[in-house]
Amino acid sequence: MSRVTIAPEEDRLNAQIAFAIEIDKLKRIIRRNHLIDGSRRENTAEHSWYVGTLAMVLGEHAPPGTDLQRVVAMLLVHDLVEIDAGDTFIYDPVEVAVQADAERAAADRIFGLLPPDQTRWIRELWDEFEARKTPEARFAKALDRFAPILANHHTEGGTWPLFKVKAAQVREKVRIIEEGSPSLGVYALELVELSVARGHLSE
Amino acid sequence: MSRVTIAPEEDRLNAQIAFAIEIDKLKRIIRRNHLIDGSRRENTAEHSWYVGTLAMVLGEHAPPGTDLQRVVAMLLVHDLVEIDAGDTFIYDPVEVAVQADAERAAADRIFGLLPPDQTRWIRELWDEFEARKTPEARFAKALDRFAPILANHHTEGGTWPLFKVKAAQVREKVRIIEEGSPSLGVYALELVELSVARGHLSE
């Protein structure tokens, strides 16, 4: 009688490497907004790095007691679902609605490549981010909304005039920033009003 | 008598935003290696995201007690100096030597945009990474070396044949991986030997 022996550690590493190879694809997902120098559109991998690093240096603008390391972890994985579901333009309500199902299916497939305990862990981080009920998730989402406003402000409006986004729509996104970080909310609103004053964002 | 009042919190945020705008430039720094799908060369911002995320899912391959959140923080900022100093090709010894001074000057300027306490904090993380004396720095460096080996292995050798890198040179880099993570070292060596066997890396 023959018997195949499996080393569980090796299985775990193989699953983790399959995940590592898969998530490299996030570098190919192109977002609407541009880099701050205006040279090209941003991809989702570099966006994820950017907001994760912002969480480090802007952490004091989160409510006291916010677990910033959890915020960073959340931001590093928050957009992995875009590998299957693509980037959603947050100012397109139809796109946003259709996207939710596609993103859940993507989470099942992509996080499912990992060993089961890690699948659950990353899924929890992602669900928490999406639900926006903890201070960590609210701060993470605030940074996710803050970064494109910063980029648009510094690229003469960037995606706003390009996709005919109005000031009222942007002010609504600023409310999400305020919920995660009052001081970043105030700052973001200043950028928005300055963009309006400069004619880079229409009322 | 007039008096100008300065709100220190506002000063801090302005400094942090100046840093945020500056580090966006990391997305324009192009590395030698390619994405795993071979489609284009990688930039340093998306590389930083990739290795930070690898630290999350491969954390169990670090020595017990390694502070993985510090590893992630270190990896998110480890290459910011490339904004001024450019990417260094690790297989070019002349380039590596000249680079050290340029990177220190870059660290002074770029980290110096932050409020002084944060300048010191990021500098400590970067110095720790470069010195490779703590388990955190050794594991971070291991992942930094592991990622291009994974990419090269999956792109028929990638930068190895392109820049005439030999197997002995790659095995030397594998030793740095082993120092940070014995199990990832073993795995990386398997990839290297497999690449040699397939003719994608020359002895």
Side-chain angles (χ1 to χ4, degrees), chain B residues 100-118:
Chain B
D101 284 343
E103 290 194 348
R104 269 189 298 272
D108 290 344
R109 185 188 75 76
I110 298 163
F111 306 160
L113 294 170
L114 286 166
D117 58 314
Q118 290 190 303

Side-chain angles (χ1 to χ4, degrees), chain A residues 4 14 18-19 27 47 79 92 108 111 113 116 126 134 151 167 193 199:
Chain A
V4 180
N14 285 336
F19 179 80
K27 301 167 186 169
H47 159 74
D79 271 342
D92 182 334
D108 290 344
F111 306 160
L113 293 170
W126 185 70
T134 62
E193 301 311 335

Side-chain angles (χ1 to χ4, degrees), chain A residues 70 73 114 116-126, chain B residues 56-57:
Chain A
R70 188 165 181 87
L114 285 165
D117 58 315
Q118 291 191 303
T119 298
R120 282 192 296 275
W121 170 49
I122 303 288
R123 181 62 180 244
E124 272 168 25
L125 282 173
W126 185 70
Chain B
M56 286 178 63
V57 297

Side-chain angles (χ1 to χ4, degrees), chain A residues 52-61, chain B residues 16 19-20 114 118 121-122:
Chain A
T53 307
L54 287 194
M56 288 179 62
V57 298
L58 295 175
E60 69 199 52
H61 304 285
Chain B
Q16 289 157 348
F19 179 80
L114 286 166
Q118 290 190 303
W121 169 49
I122 303 288

Side-chain angles (χ1 to χ4, degrees), chain A residues 152-173:
Chain A
N152 280 346
H153 177 75
H154 285 277
T155 49
E156 306 193 333
T159 49
W160 294 328
L162 212 56
F163 298 102
K164 303 192 196 310
V165 175
K166 301 291 176 196
Q169 295 171 279
V170 183
R171 289 190 195 104
E172 212 172 285
K173 301 301 169 199

Side-chain angles (χ1 to χ4, degrees), chain B residues 101-154:
Chain B
D101 284 343
E103 290 194 348
R104 269 189 298 272
D108 290 344
R109 185 188 75 76
I110 298 163
F111 306 160
L113 294 170
L114 286 166
D117 58 314
Q118 290 190 303
T119 298
R120 283 192 297 276
W121 169 49
I122 303 288
R123 181 60 179 246
E124 273 169 25
L125 282 173
W126 184 70
D127 284 342
E128 183 179 337
F129 175 80
E130 289 293 312
R132 225 160 36 87
K133 289 200 174 131
T134 61
E136 286 74 20
R138 279 195 292 265
F139 187 60
K141 190 67 98 168
L143 294 172
D144 193 37
R145 292 287 176 266
F146 184 76
I149 289 179
L150 190 64
N152 280 344
H153 176 75
H154 285 277

Side-chain angles (χ1 to χ4, degrees), chain A residues 2-32:
Chain A
S2 78
R3 191 150 171 238
V4 180
T5 56
I6 298 166
E9 302 80 23
E10 207 171 298
D11 272 2
R12 281 187 72 83
L13 180 53
N14 285 336
Q16 289 157 348
I17 295 292
F19 179 80
I21 291 169
E22 183 64 28
I23 68 171
D24 200 72
K25 294 177 184 166
L26 198 63
K27 301 167 186 169
R28 300 293 307 279
I29 306 299
I30 307 300
R31 291 160 51 82
R32 298 298 207 291

